[in-house]
Each structure stands twice: as structure tokens, then as C-alpha cells.
Amino acid sequence: MRNVVVVGGGIVGLAVAWELSQRGQDVTVLEKENRWAAHQTGHNSNVVHAGLYYKPGSFKARMSVAGNRSIVDFARQYGVPVRVCGKLVVATREAELPALETLSERAEANGVPAKRISPAEAREYEPEVSCVAALRVESTGIIDFPAVCTTLVRLLDEADADLRLRTPVLGIRAGRAGGVEVATGTDVLRADALVNCAGLQADRVAELAGLTPSARIVPFRGEYYELKSERRNLVRGLVYPVPDPALPFLGVHLTRMLDGSVHAGPNAVLALRREGYRWADVSMKDLADVARFPGSWRLARKYVYPTGLEEVLRSFSKKRFAASLARLVPAVTEDDLVRHGSGVRAQALRPDGSLVDDFLIESTRDQVHVLNAPSPAATSALEIAKHVADRVSA
């Protein structure tokens, strides 16, 4: 039996640990926080993505389509709340129709069940929606991802995995006789292999291990509002805009959650700290890392105006946020919204300023590093786990 250390206790790290344990590996999971799923997974939109948006043949396309099935099957097997409700992607003006058609073609290429529908048909699903055409995506769902993690922790505990909270990784080096040695605040663990699923800290953990990652993590905060309880009837399911192909994010959308609440968002602004969920969360070290990285400045030149400025203005203006939502559902007003919370996306950025648009997994001897796993990583977690476990076994 081999011993594998997994760094990171979010959904990807826990899924990898569970997959390895099922393959007969002795697994130790190290999480620096005092709870599991503390960051990206715990601040997730809880959407089970269909695989609609991603380049055919990419990791994201293949793993999201397969993950859509496997995560729903997992939830139903273990009693995790899940609902496959479908969603609408709506074109609100004629200029968006070519992009909607491209999405339809991509859905077909990826094997995603989706169909083009008329405005009248769209209103059968969402009576308050405004559009000139829409795409109905049947396999999109809503799930409780933190509950998935709770279940994975239980399964790992039953499999006698070594699960350690409050255990930051301080150093990693190759073992003298092979394998790796991992220093924590209390001891040094010796293992046959290491898997880095540290999310917002993934590039730093890779550097601790002596790897020069091909991309750096730049944190983007997404802020959410919620419809007031008396206005939840405006949205029955999930309503998304047609994404601008020139921009890296999907745009604000409306999502009915498992408890009946309706979340609105997110926008996308640079977080001032790797784990910064408010404007007041500032880390000079994290900001210095962003400033020293040449890719940051190249990205800024491309997006800071007008896109980045508009996102920042929307962060401070509920009126602007409401106006973006009203493009999709005109009945939504500023008075309907209350602040809900935010999440931080670990987005990998290359030195040339390009955003890594696929999952990025790099390997060295006895090590596998998951360096870019933003959305749809939660949907794809069980599939990413199989891929990583194959690499560990290779």
C-alpha cells in the first residue's frame, strides 16, 4: 500500500483523497483551515454545470459533462440535496444571437442536452424573462456542495484516512530514498506521493515543492445579492445571459437555490487578498505578488477599461447591479436586492497575460499539482479525482 499526502480540503482535494482510498492507497489530507470546504467550495454558487461553455475536447468540456452525471449520482446515492432543474441562457438583443448559436453548436459538440427556443417558449419556463431567443439546457442542476464535502469526509473517515485540519504545509522536498517529505507546523510526513489541491494557494504550494508553475493564481472576488423573499417568485430556476466571448466570466445571473432563495450575481473584481471576501480584506504580500507578476499588467491593459471599471462600479452600486439583472428579468429592481455574500475564484494567469481557460494539472516525479481548477471544478470533482489518481499511479 502506498501513502499519498493530499494538500487541500476543498471538494477537489477530498474527492481525490476518496478516489485514492478506493484504489487501496493510504491517504493523509492536510487542510490549513479549521473546517473543510472553507474557501472556494464553501462559497460556491452550488450549480451543477452541464458543460455548455467549454471548448470541445478540453478537460473542462469532458470532465464537466461526465461530472454532471457522476456528482448527481453521488448525491442521490448518499442523500445529498440535489435538483436537476435545467436553465435558460437568454439573448436579450439581436446582437447576441450569433453567440447564442455558437453556444448551441458547442452544446451539441460536447454532448450537452440543449435546444434553441423562442421567447414564448422561454416564458413557459420563466414567465418574467425578457429575450429575443434562448437556449434551454436540461442537465444543469443545483446541489449542496458543502454537503458533498461532509459526505466525502465521512467516507474517508470510515476508510481510516488521516484527516488533519489546522495543518498548514510549510515545506516540501524530495525524500532521500524517493517519495516526498512534507513539513507541517508539528511534524514531517513521509509519503510515496503528494497531490496539491490547494486552490487559492496552489501555485505557492507548488513552489514549496520546488516546481516553477507555468501560471500564477490571481484571485477574483464575485459578489452576490439575493432577491427579497417576497420577490422570489420572479425566478423559477436558473437564468443566465449569453456570455461575451471576449470576456473571461459568464456575467451576472439569477439562480434559485435548494431552499427557494434566489441568488443574483456574481460580478468579478480583483480580490485584494487571496482569501479576501470583502474590500476591507487586504494583504500587502498578496498585492505585491500580483504587482510583481508581468501577466497581471498585461491582463489589466486588456480588461481594465471599460470592463474592469464597470465591474468595480457595479460592486459599489446596487443600482448598477440591479440594472444588469433587469436585462434578463425586467421586473427586478434595486429595492428587490439584499446583499448575500461573496466568493473568491482562484484563476490561473500566464506570464503573457492570458487567463488559463482549462483545468491545469502538472506533474513531477511523485507529485501531481492541480494548478487551475475554477468553475466547473466542483461539478467535475469526481472526474478530476480519477484523472489525478491515474497520474499518481503512473
Side-chain angles (χ1 to χ4, degrees), residues 2 39 127 131 152 202 212 228 316 337 344 376:
R2 302 180 76 215
H39 291 296
C131 66
L152 287 169
T212 301
K228 291 179 179 178
F316 289 100
L337 302 179
V344 179

Side-chain angles (χ1 to χ4, degrees), residues 32-33 39-40 199-201 203-204 217-222 269-291 342-347:
K32 69 182 178 65
E33 303 294 355
H39 291 296
Q40 291 187 100
L200 285 156
Q201 307 294 338
D203 56 340
R204 291 174 175 171
I217 295 297
V218 176
F220 286 90
R221 185 174 67 254
V269 296
L270 179 69
L272 305 182
R273 180 180 174 182
R274 288 270 178 124
E275 294 153 1
Y277 299 98
R278 304 168 300 161
W279 283 108
D281 296 334
V282 180
S283 165
M284 297 310 297
K285 177 182 184 300
D286 291 350
L287 285 175
D289 280 354
V290 171
S342 63
V344 179
R345 173 189 177 111
Q347 175 63 58

Side-chain angles (χ1 to χ4, degrees), residues 8 44 57 83 85 91 131 138 151 164 168 179 206 212 219 223 244 249 254 284 306 316 337 340 354 358 362 368 381:
N44 194 287
R83 179 166 56 92
C85 53
C131 66
E138 295 295 344
T151 300
R164 304 190 187 189
T212 301
E223 298 158 325
D244 185 337
F249 301 111
L254 291 149
M284 297 310 297
F316 289 100
L337 302 179
H340 177 71
S354 62
D358 202 358
E362 297 184 355
V368 180

